[in-house]
Amino acid sequence: MGELAVDFCGEWYEPSPEGVFSIGREGDLEIDDNPYLHRTFLQISRYDGIWWLTNAGTMLSATIADAAGGMQAWMAPGARIPLVFAHTNVIFTAGPTTYEFSVHLKTPAFLAQSRGEDSAGSTTIGPVVFTDSQKALIVALAEPMLRRDGTGFSSIPSSAQAAKRLGWVLTRFNRKLDNVCDKLDRVGVVGLRGGGGKLATNRRARLVEHAVTSHLVTAEDLPLLDSQREMDDE
């Protein structure tokens, strides 16, 4: 493997340091024939001795995180970010489908540090504390991504599908989704609100991207789905 390599669905690509490696519906890495995906969405290039990831699209954003979940960035159209970790995960959503690929750097500028386990038993992000039902909601939306192994693509459930998975009525699901997005928005998680304080239309996708890349939820949390249904049935 060269200095930098990209893994998508088990296929490996090695961008040349002399050129621009394009990722999208077309290009060096053809993600998917998805009409919601830009022909050229992301680009990887190297200059001044640093590899960079650039969002060359006009509508879509991407969530970038190190493998340990300690760093996360949200790349809006036109933004760029240096690739400095040994293993960087990139997640983005186009239409109903969420995609993920990973970038591997042989000589990283930074080493990600694993975070210690929280012995308190509560789920927190900074000052945010989630109830069991709120965390179960996040798991229900992220379930397809949590159940698959490695990079690739999956579909995010609709609100109605996630509510059914939890055994809730849709109004209860939407109310709790509002609460979860409000909590994260207040501590600076971008992309969960539109302009003028309105909730973003793609907030489910953004919530899943944030939750998975920050390790807010993992595959170990999947039993919450059944335990939540059992609690509601009592």
Side-chain angles (χ1 to χ4, degrees):
M1 189 173 69
E3 170 66 16
L4 181 142
V6 177
D7 175 21
F8 176 65
C9 294
E11 295 187 9
W12 290 84
Y13 304 80
E14 295 185 17
S16 169
E18 283 78 37
V20 176
F21 184 83
S22 60
I23 301 167
R25 198 166 75 241
E26 300 175 358
D28 299 296
L29 171 50
E30 296 182 1
I31 294 290
D32 190 14
D33 187 19
N34 181 341
Y36 295 97
L37 181 62
H38 296 303
R39 284 187 172 86
T40 299
F41 173 40
L42 300 172
Q43 295 176 329
I44 296 176
S45 57
R46 179 181 171 90
Y47 57 92
D48 293 334
I50 299 175
W51 288 95
W52 294 83
L53 179 67
T54 301
N55 185 341
T58 58
M59 297 292 292
L60 302 179
S61 297
T63 300
I64 317 299
D66 69 293
M71 184 285 298
Q72 184 188 106
W74 193 55
M75 287 185 62
R80 67 175 183 175
I81 189 171
L83 296 168
V84 296
F85 294 101
H87 183 169
T88 302
N89 293 321
V90 182
I91 298 180
F92 56 93
T93 301
T97 308
T98 295
Y99 304 89
E100 180 181 4
F101 65 86
S102 61
V103 181
H104 299 258
L105 193 60
K106 183 175 292 185
T107 56
F110 294 94
L111 295 177
Q113 298 294 324
S114 298
R115 298 172 297 175
E117 295 296 326
D118 181 6
S119 59
S122 59
T123 303
T124 64
I125 294 185
V128 179
V129 179
F130 292 100
T131 65
D132 289 343
S133 61
Q134 288 172 339
K135 188 172 182 181
L137 177 146
I138 300 172
V139 174
L141 289 173
E143 182 179 12
M145 292 197 70
L146 297 177
R147 288 197 182 280
R148 64 171 175 73
D149 183 24
T151 58
F153 54 91
S154 58
S155 297
I156 294 178
S158 66
S159 293
Q161 289 171 331
K164 183 178 180 180
R165 180 72 173 90
L166 292 165
W168 298 351
V169 295
L170 184 57
T171 52
R172 180 187 182 189
F173 179 90
N174 287 333
R175 184 176 66 253
K176 288 187 177 291
L177 179 59
D178 289 343
N179 293 337
V180 168
C181 290
D182 283 341
K183 284 185 175 183
L184 292 173
D185 177 72
R186 285 197 294 268
V187 296
V189 178
V190 296
L192 295 175
R193 283 197 172 276
K198 296 181 180 179
L199 287 168
T201 56
N202 64 340
R203 58 181 176 158
R204 287 182 295 107
R206 172 58 185 142
L207 176 59
V208 169
E209 291 175 14
H210 172 77
V212 171
T213 55
S214 66
H215 297 181
L216 171 58
V217 294
T218 67
E220 294 179 356
D221 295 312
L222 288 168
L224 277 174
L225 298 176
D226 293 329
S227 63
Q228 187 65 40
R229 291 184 66 100
E230 291 170 1
M231 288 176 60
D232 290 338
D233 290 339
E234 292 178 354

